[in-house]
Amino acid sequence: MTRIHDCSTADGRSAGLAAATEAVRTGRLVVLPTDTVYGLGCDAFDTDAVNALLRAKNRGPDMPVPVLVGSWTTIEGLVREYTYTMRTLVEAFWPGGVSLVVHEAPSLPWNLGDTRGTVMLRMPAHPVAVDLLRETGPMAVSSANVSGHPPATTAQEAVDQLGEDVAVYLDGGDGTVGTASTIIDVSRDRPRVLREGAVPAGRVAEVLGMTPEELRGTCDPRRR
């Protein structure tokens, strides 16, 4: 039976985290608050759970599921090579609203969809999400909505869309940003912004010593 846990109190948060951790470990879906929008998540290494997540969202494997982590260091075990650019972005923007598309470690036993050897990683800046991730390890997490509908920015909006497909809802209040993360592809020779969201591309470019136009791929860096 679906449960909604109010995480605004210590007791509610403790009970909610325990229930969500158990749900993830037993292959079920949970909804969790993040700093951007609410997320629909499961164990990243449970293929059946990931497939259930895709069914709940009514989408196919052609749109791979991102992965959330609970610490800076977790990324090092998930990527093929932990580069200077990745480290720079992690230290500048994690936890926070920047997602990184990276080459995944080839030995990882997961199936997140048609990733073509890459995975999108982020550490959210929400204490409830981080506490859950530190209990469960990496989670496959997509926005808590049915494809084609707006991402949920409250737990109730997630309930209205996903209903009984989710075992546990963690209510962490309204999304503080309400906008999806900015996606930076660092799997190429040069970083490229794929989606501008919670963090302006100009801020990311400044940290990387690039211009916003270079990061967006709208100018030739050789002509800078």
Side-chain angles (χ1 to χ4, degrees):
M1 182 179 68
T2 293
R3 291 289 306 276
I4 303 173
H5 293 268
D6 181 359
C7 295
S8 64
T9 68
D11 288 345
R13 178 167 168 171
S14 177
L17 287 170
T21 299
E22 176 65 17
V24 172
R25 289 176 176 169
T26 54
R28 293 175 291 163
L29 304 181
V30 303
V31 161
L32 62 153
T34 79
D35 48 321
T36 54
V37 296
Y38 271 73
L40 172 65
C42 66
D43 181 350
F45 299 100
D46 187 329
T47 299
D48 289 339
V50 172
N51 288 336
L53 185 156
L54 291 172
R55 287 195 300 273
K57 286 183 63 72
N58 192 28
R59 83 183 200 193
D62 56 311
M63 298 178 67
V65 184
V67 171
L68 295 188
V69 298
S71 72
W72 284 8
T73 56
T74 304
I75 186 177
E76 297 178 30
L78 302 178
V79 300
R80 189 176 69 188
E81 178 186 6
Y82 190 44
T83 65
Y84 174 79
T85 297
M86 290 180 203
R87 182 181 297 108
T88 298
L89 292 173
V90 164
E91 292 178 356
F93 296 109
W94 283 14
V98 170
S99 296
L100 303 180
V101 175
V102 302
H103 288 292
E104 65 185 25
S107 60
L108 290 174
W110 63 20
N111 184 1
L112 302 169
D114 299 333
T115 63
R116 300 181 181 180
T118 64
V119 62
M120 188 164 77
L121 302 174
R122 186 168 86 89
M123 181 182 177
H126 195 292
V128 173
V130 170
D131 283 351
L132 178 60
L133 289 161
R134 288 177 175 170
E135 290 293 328
T136 64
M139 289 180 61
V141 179
S142 184
S143 56
N145 63 295
V146 176
S147 289
H149 294 261
T153 58
T154 68
Q156 187 58 54
E157 288 178 4
V159 173
D160 292 343
Q161 293 196 51
L162 299 168
E164 296 293 325
D165 286 335
V166 176
V168 175
Y169 289 85
L170 298 179
D171 186 348
D174 293 356
T176 55
V177 176
T179 302
S181 64
T182 294
I183 301 174
I184 306 297
D185 185 352
V186 292
S187 68
R188 312 180 185 198
D189 292 339
R190 293 183 64 84
R192 181 72 57 85
V193 61
L194 301 183
R195 179 182 73 196
E196 191 165 0
V199 177
R203 284 184 57 198
V204 179
E206 182 179 3
V207 166
L208 294 176
M210 302 171 66
T211 68
E213 293 74 22
E214 288 171 352
L215 189 63
R216 295 188 181 100
T218 56
C219 79
D220 187 342
R222 293 171 298 182
R223 297 182 180 178
R224 182 175 175 179

